[in-house]
Amino acid sequence: MCMLAVSMMVSAGNPYKKYTQNLPFDMPEVSAPKIPEREVSLSDYGADGSGQSLCTDAFARAIDALSVKGGGRLVVPRGIWMTGPIVLKSNIELHLSAGAVIQFAADENLYPIVETSFEGLDTRRCQSPISAVGQTNIAITGYGAIDGNGQYWRPLKRSKVTDSQWKTMTSQPGGVMKRNDYWVPSAGYDKAETFSSMNVPEKELTEDEWQEIKRFLRPVMISLVGCKNVLLQDVVFQNSPAWNLHPLMCENIIIDGVLVRNPAYAQNGDALDLESCKNALIVNSKFDAGDDGICIKSGKNEDGRRRARPCENVVVDGCTVFAGHGGFVVGSEMSGGVGNIMVRDCQFLGTEVGLRFKSTRGRGGIVENIFIDGISMTDIKTYALTFNMYYGGKSVAEVLADGTTVQQVATMPVTEETPIFRNIDIRNVVCYHAGFAMEFNGLPEMPIDGIHLKDIVIRADKDAVFQYSKNITKENVKIDIVN
């Protein structure tokens, strides 16, 4: 065993302190976890880096060996390490050397069904490829890649892929062609869709029925639940079965310098969903996804309100989002509330929407104290900025294809199920081209309230639309209509 001085801190102090200084809200300093000065190699535990055999037991033995000694760094050498689920423990750093690929096996039998949360609801899913529950001081670092083998799990829409991709992916054994434009990977998946909403079963199931629909219960790739002091740094996270990174109810989390990517056709392929977390930094990272890029959530409807854990004290700084349904997104699962969020110095390049705020009646929750400063956007397919309180599970492009998203609706009573969006400051935004400039589409009983727009330039095909919104202030806002 080689003993090395492994520290997440530099001698000059905490390099992450600068991100929590001079914010328009109070936020404590966030620092990286301190991992014990101990190191082992995965290859020392009988793992095979040829990609030809499973390393699941080797990962487990190595993590257990470090854990009983108080923790340390598990180094994954270069090579392809095929494996089932990896469970992280306190004081463990999973470090991928340059040239290392952790490849998760395409075999549903390796991923048991567990109690968890998905789409903001308490439910059951297959165990995530990498998970940790209630652990402290954990890290995933290095210059390798983690691949979730997402194509084994995901459904496919014909409109999202080329002819050759469609032919190749729908030729997988066991799949079901539901229509000539929609394919699912198993008969169980097909059955589950008949009694599910937003990927979550809506009826009581026997254990046999749960097992029958396992492929439908595709997991998020990185699931961190109730963990404290977390670092994800430099690694490539790609090709997840569902959402890619999902920290849930975590505290003191840093995501730094990562590349998170999914194919553009990946159904529910969000890059990052930060849910009900507190004190989080998302910095210097790149996201390229089939759904939302950087998304802030806090649970859905009654389950989210019962949890009552807002997502708060978050800084997003120096990040890039490529393809995806939104660059920076809040919602639609925000029933526990969202507040004290700073997004600055980011670029969105070719996303479907730039800044996206979404919810619907039934959610409840308050979204407030959001500060956005310094966003550059190019080639935004729909809206540079949208607030829409009528989210129904479709992307903005799909909604626009069905017709306008703005329409007169009846006023409903205000209850705990009424979502509230207020006190949001957006400034120093440049959008070179968008399909639409802005959309403010609130509820008649609860208008979008107190949005301040300053120093904004948007070049778009169509102008801004404002409905059911109040106290919207504009300073030096210029919209250049090109058609």
Side-chain angles (χ1 to χ4, degrees):
M1 181 182 297
C2 177
M3 300 294 290
L4 297 176
V6 181
S7 173
M8 300 298 177
M9 309 285 283
V10 297
S11 58
N14 180 7
Y16 295 106
K17 181 177 181 178
K18 63 182 180 181
Y19 294 107
T20 54
Q21 294 178 326
N22 303 315
L23 294 173
F25 51 84
D26 292 331
M27 178 173 172
E29 184 177 328
V30 181
S31 58
K34 296 180 180 178
I35 304 298
E37 300 175 357
R38 183 178 295 107
E39 182 176 292
V40 300
S41 173
L42 182 64
S43 58
D44 293 338
Y45 290 82
D48 173 15
S50 69
Q52 302 302 306
S53 58
L54 285 176
C55 303
T56 314
D57 290 343
F59 273 107
R61 289 196 303 272
I63 289 170
D64 287 345
L66 282 171
S67 183
V68 297
K69 294 180 179 179
R73 180 190 245 195
L74 171 56
V75 176
V76 182
R78 68 187 182 194
I80 298 177
W81 310 87
M82 185 69 68
T83 184
I86 297 170
V87 179
L88 296 179
K89 296 185 176 182
S90 293
N91 304 310
I92 299 292
E93 176 187 357
L94 179 65
H95 180 81
L96 284 75
S97 303
V101 176
I102 296 176
Q103 177 76 58
F104 286 96
D107 180 357
E108 67 183 53
N109 295 315
L110 296 173
Y111 304 86
I113 297 174
V114 297
E115 302 289 333
T116 187
S117 175
F118 186 61
E119 295 280 5
L121 298 175
D122 298 332
T123 186
R124 303 180 79 194
R125 309 294 291 180
C126 286
Q127 183 174 333
S128 289
I130 295 181
S131 65
V133 179
Q135 304 302 299
T136 300
N137 296 327
I138 57 175
I140 304 174
T141 67
Y143 297 98
I146 297 174
D147 189 294
N149 226 326
Q151 68 278 2
Y152 172 77
W153 300 89
R154 294 189 297 256
L156 191 65
K157 293 180 179 178
R158 177 67 184 85
S159 61
K160 299 282 188 179
V161 295
T162 65
D163 290 344
S164 61
Q165 288 172 325
W166 177 256
K167 182 178 180 180
T168 298
M169 286 183 276
T170 58
S171 65
Q172 296 180 54
V176 175
M177 190 71 69
K178 297 192 65 168
R179 304 184 302 268
N180 62 4
D181 62 349
Y182 184 57
W183 175 91
V184 296
S186 72
Y189 200 115
D190 183 24
K191 181 178 180 179
E193 287 198 326
T194 66
F195 51 75
S196 299
S197 175
M198 295 294 289
N199 305 294
V200 176
E202 291 190 311
K203 72 172 189 175
E204 294 293 326
L205 300 176
T206 66
E207 190 60 34
D208 286 343
E209 287 174 321
W210 280 109
Q211 295 300 323
E212 183 183 5
I213 66 168
K214 274 191 84 172
R215 196 82 69 89
F216 177 79
L217 306 174
R218 51 196 171 105
V220 301
M221 190 165 78
I222 311 296
S223 174
L224 307 174
V225 181
C227 296
K228 187 173 181 179
N229 303 338
V230 176
L231 175 67
L232 307 180
Q233 186 178 56
D234 296 330
V235 175
V236 175
F237 299 92
Q238 69 168 26
N239 199 19
S240 57
W243 297 348
N244 204 316
L245 306 183
H246 184 208
L248 171 63
M249 296 186 292
C250 293
E251 186 173 346
N252 297 333
I253 178 168
I254 298 170
I255 299 173
D256 179 15
V258 300
L259 170 59
V260 186
R261 59 193 295 264
N262 276 332
Y265 54 78
Q267 195 86 347
N268 311 112
D270 296 23
L272 167 64
D273 290 287
L274 190 76
E275 183 173 357
S276 294
C277 291
K278 184 176 182 179
N279 303 332
L281 304 179
I282 305 163
V283 299
N284 309 317
S285 294
K286 297 178 174 62
F287 305 89
D288 191 1
D291 209 305
D292 290 330
I294 302 168
C295 193
I296 307 297
K297 300 178 181 290
S298 63
K300 184 176 180 179
N301 298 352
E302 184 180 355
D303 284 358
R305 295 193 298 273
R306 182 174 57 250
R307 181 198 296 163
R309 293 280 294 269
C311 200
E312 60 186 349
N313 293 352
V314 179
V315 175
V316 180
D317 191 300
C319 293
T320 302
V321 182
F322 299 98
H325 288 177
F328 173 77
V329 182
V330 175
S332 70
E333 303 94 86
M334 36 60 67
S335 302
V338 173
N340 290 356
I341 312 291
M342 182 69 180
V343 184
R344 61 192 176 199
D345 298 335
C346 294
Q347 45 274 342
F348 307 147
L349 309 177
T351 53
E352 186 175 286
V353 177
L355 298 165
R356 186 182 188 189
F357 297 82
K358 56 180 176 175
S359 188
T360 191
R361 287 168 171 153
R363 295 285 190 267
I366 301 174
V367 173
E368 62 183 348
N369 299 335
I370 314 291
F371 302 88
I372 298 172
D373 186 358
I375 307 296
S376 299
M377 311 183 206
T378 62
D379 191 28
I380 303 302
K381 305 300 188 296
T382 64
Y383 294 97
L385 167 64
T386 175
F387 289 84
N388 194 305
M389 300 298 106
Y390 303 91
Y391 180 69
K394 293 183 177 181
S395 71
V396 174
E398 289 171 323
V399 172
L400 288 170
D402 293 338
T404 180
T405 63
V406 177
Q407 54 188 315
Q408 297 293 315
V409 297
T411 301
M412 300 290 287
V414 174
T415 70
E416 65 173 4
E417 297 183 356
T418 306
I420 300 172
F421 283 67
R422 66 191 183 196
N423 302 334
I424 298 173
D425 188 283
I426 302 172
R427 60 183 63 202
N428 298 313
V429 173
V430 178
C431 178
Y432 179 70
H433 183 264
F436 301 80
M438 292 185 281
E439 173 194 41
F440 284 65
N441 193 14
L443 299 171
E445 67 271 17
M446 186 61 67
I448 299 158
D449 187 7
I451 313 301
H452 181 50
L453 308 172
K454 182 178 181 181
D455 297 332
I456 294 175
V457 179
I458 299 175
R459 178 183 174 91
D461 294 335
K462 296 185 179 181
D463 207 344
V465 177
F466 296 86
Q467 178 171 261
Y468 304 132
S469 57
K470 65 181 183 179
N471 300 318
I472 310 300
T473 64
K474 292 181 261 187
E475 289 185 62
N476 192 28
V477 174
K478 180 181 178 182
I479 298 174
D480 181 15
I481 304 302
V482 296
N483 287 338

